[in-house]
Structures are given as structure tokens and as C-alpha cells.
Amino acid sequence: MSAGISSFIAIVFQLLVVRKVLILLAIVFVSGAVYGQGSGCFVPGAGGELKLETNIDFSRYDGFFVGEFHGVYGVPAVKLALVKYLCREQGVTDIFMEIGFSAAYLFNTYLETGDTAFITRPRLIYTAKLPDMACWEGLYAFNKGLKHKISIHGMDFERADFLKVLKLVMPTGVLYPAAIAQSLTFIDTVNVSSIGWQQSATQHAFDSVYIMLKADLDRNLEAYRAYFGDTFELVLRIMRNKCVMTNFHQRNGAMYQNLMQQVAADNIGKFVVFSGLAHADKANEG
């Protein structure tokens, strides 16, 4: 890492252990050795990539909730090192993020194919900076060697990426049902030039489109089911996301419901959650 990063800088993770116990873990980002009881350090490994060295017994815990600082350059490398450690040492391959179901689909497709177009045309959230992309490229390379592959899970509201996914899963050569032809034409022709960290006004505009299309789906459910066929359940999950931008003050509760529903439905035993640090602060609204 850059020599400009002081060895005294600490990145603090809050880990909420599901069904067992609540702990706080301070992991210090240094270039020295691990020290102290119940501590861990991210240190440069081969090629300068960070690795986690720790004496903490992670095997006692099922769920790890990590509060991060969005946009800080050092964070993606730390996240990658933590994911690799939890995967290798504890078999954790399920990663929940502050993204929607549509973005999770695109990130998983990238991890399967290595095609960066899925996450950069346009750029998804958490891909805007070089360290972000280095993290995803590192995760792709790591995932290739795994027998049990990494799964990215969404839990947050849908950004404009939902339109990209709806277009990607549209079946080829299938005529539009008359009742939903106007909506399908819009999905197929709309130009989404930006996703990422959008301005509030831009996001609210996409929310209006999301709400409009959701209402159309609810009115014409069987027509959508017949048209999308095998991908209809994915479309339904995206378009009926419990977490919506327009109900922002209840966002944390909705994210928690999305998380726990997937844990139960997919029988997930161990997982890690990455979200903004404020979402792990009980003093905050929601």
C-alpha cells in the first residue's frame, strides 16, 4: 500500500454475530506485525496485496456485519482481504452488499464470466474508482479457483441498474404481449448512461420509473410471467424489492428483511455484510 498511509490509521469494523453474540472488532491497517489479544492486522502480502493476520477465533460466529467508509481508497483492498480470509478459513462465500437485487445479478454475472461490461457499461455503484475495480478483479481471480463459488447478494433499493437487467433477461424472438408492449418497448430502448453514486434528483427520477413499471407489472402479472418465462422470478424479485428509495427513513429495516429472507430461503449458514458505517449505528434513524 501507499507509504503515505500512516501505520496509526485504524479501520474499525462492527461485527454483529447472528444468533450468538454482539462483538466489536478493531482491525488496524499497518505494515507491521499483529499484536494484542483479540486483534488483527491487514498486512502487505506477495505482490503488495493485503492479507489479514489475526488471532481471533472467527469459527464461533455465523454473520459478520462490516461498517465501511464509502469512497475511501483503502477500503476495497481491506474488504477483499477480509473476504478471502473468511472464505479460506471459515468457508464464507455469501456476501451481502448495500446494493439492489439487480446489481447483485450483474456482479454475479461478472464473477461467472469475467466480462467487465456487466458492471462498467454503465458503471455500477462500487466500481467508480480504480481501487474498486481492482477489488472486483481480485475477487474474480480468487473466485475462479474456488469449488464453492462466491455469491453476491443485494439488500438495498434498486438503482438504474434494474433497467439494464430487465433488458438483459428479455427473451429473444418473443412477441410483446399487447397489454405490456409499451412498457417492454421502454425497457428495450431506454438509455441508462449512469448508475453509481447518483445525485438525489437523478435517483428520484429513476424511482419514478421503477414505481411506474412496478404498477404495470402488478396490473399485468400474468402477461409478464408469460413473456419473461424462466427469468420471471428474478424480474419479480427486482420489481418487488422491500427496500425503496422513496421510503428512505425505513431503509435499514427493509434491508434487514431482505437479508434475513435470503438467509432463510437459500439456507445460508455463514455470511458477511458490507454496508455504510452509519447503518450499523443504533443511534441513527431507522
Side-chain angles (χ1 to χ4, degrees):
M1 300 302 295
S2 169
I5 299 176
S6 168
S7 63
F8 296 103
I9 293 178
I11 293 179
V12 179
F13 291 127
Q14 292 188 352
L15 281 76
L16 172 60
V17 181
V18 175
R19 296 187 299 275
K20 293 191 178 178
V21 66
L22 176 67
I23 65 170
L24 295 179
L25 169 64
I27 302 182
V28 184
F29 184 18
V30 298
S31 59
V34 176
Y35 60 91
Q37 185 175 3
S39 63
C41 299
F42 291 102
V43 299
E49 184 178 83
L50 291 184
K51 62 179 181 177
L52 174 59
E53 295 181 356
T54 180
N55 58 12
I56 297 172
D57 180 11
F58 284 103
S59 66
R60 296 177 292 168
Y61 311 122
D62 298 322
F64 305 88
F65 283 68
V66 182
E68 67 174 62
F69 297 96
H70 296 319
V72 175
Y73 268 54
V75 168
V78 172
K79 290 165 67 175
L80 180 60
L82 180 61
V83 167
K84 288 183 175 181
Y85 180 89
L86 290 175
C87 182
R88 287 170 175 154
E89 302 297 327
Q90 305 302 327
V92 177
T93 56
D94 290 284
I95 303 172
F96 288 83
M97 295 178 60
E98 198 177 328
I99 56 176
F101 298 133
S102 48
Y105 172 85
L106 293 169
F107 280 122
N108 282 320
T109 306
Y110 162 68
L111 291 179
E112 292 170 9
T113 65
D115 186 349
T116 58
F118 285 105
I119 62 175
T120 62
R121 298 180 186 174
R123 286 194 174 276
L124 300 189
I125 191 171
Y126 303 118
T127 65
K129 299 178 180 179
L130 288 176
D132 295 320
M133 284 304 299
C135 177
W136 285 109
E137 290 164 356
L139 188 61
Y140 169 74
F142 176 69
N143 191 53
K144 283 199 301 184
L146 296 178
K147 183 177 181 181
H148 185 61
K149 301 298 184 183
I150 296 286
S151 292
I152 306 298
H153 300 272
M155 58 182 183
D156 200 7
F157 61 85
E158 305 299 328
R159 293 172 171 81
D161 38 34
F162 85 92
L163 290 167
K164 176 172 181 172
V165 174
L166 293 184
K167 183 172 182 175
L168 281 173
V169 301
M170 293 176 76
T172 303
V174 178
L175 293 176
Y176 296 165
I180 59 175
Q182 184 175 358
S183 293
L184 293 177
T185 300
F186 172 80
I187 293 168
D188 191 36
T189 58
V190 66
N191 179 30
V192 182
S193 60
S194 176
I195 296 175
W197 297 103
Q198 295 168 339
Q199 297 295 320
S200 178
T202 306
Q203 181 57 49
H204 281 294
F206 281 115
D207 286 344
S208 297
V209 173
Y210 180 81
I211 292 168
M212 176 191 70
L213 290 175
K214 180 182 182 300
D216 193 61
L217 181 143
D218 290 339
R219 285 192 301 267
N220 302 284
L221 193 63
E222 293 310 313
Y224 277 94
R225 188 191 306 276
Y227 175 74
F228 280 101
D230 292 342
T231 60
F232 175 71
E233 291 303 319
L234 171 64
V235 172
L236 198 62
R237 170 181 276 195
I238 290 171
M239 297 309 299
R240 288 187 170 172
N241 192 338
K242 291 181 176 67
C243 192
V244 290
M245 178 68 173
T246 51
N247 201 11
F248 195 83
H249 67 288
Q250 294 187 7
R251 184 178 170 205
N252 285 342
M255 284 198 290
Y256 174 76
Q257 290 181 55
N258 282 340
L259 185 155
M260 296 309 296
Q261 183 179 36
Q262 292 174 85
V263 167
D266 298 339
N267 196 28
I268 297 172
K270 287 178 175 282
F271 60 89
V272 58
V273 179
F274 293 102
S275 67
L277 189 62
H279 297 294
D281 184 354
K282 291 173 67 177
N284 280 359
E285 181 183 7

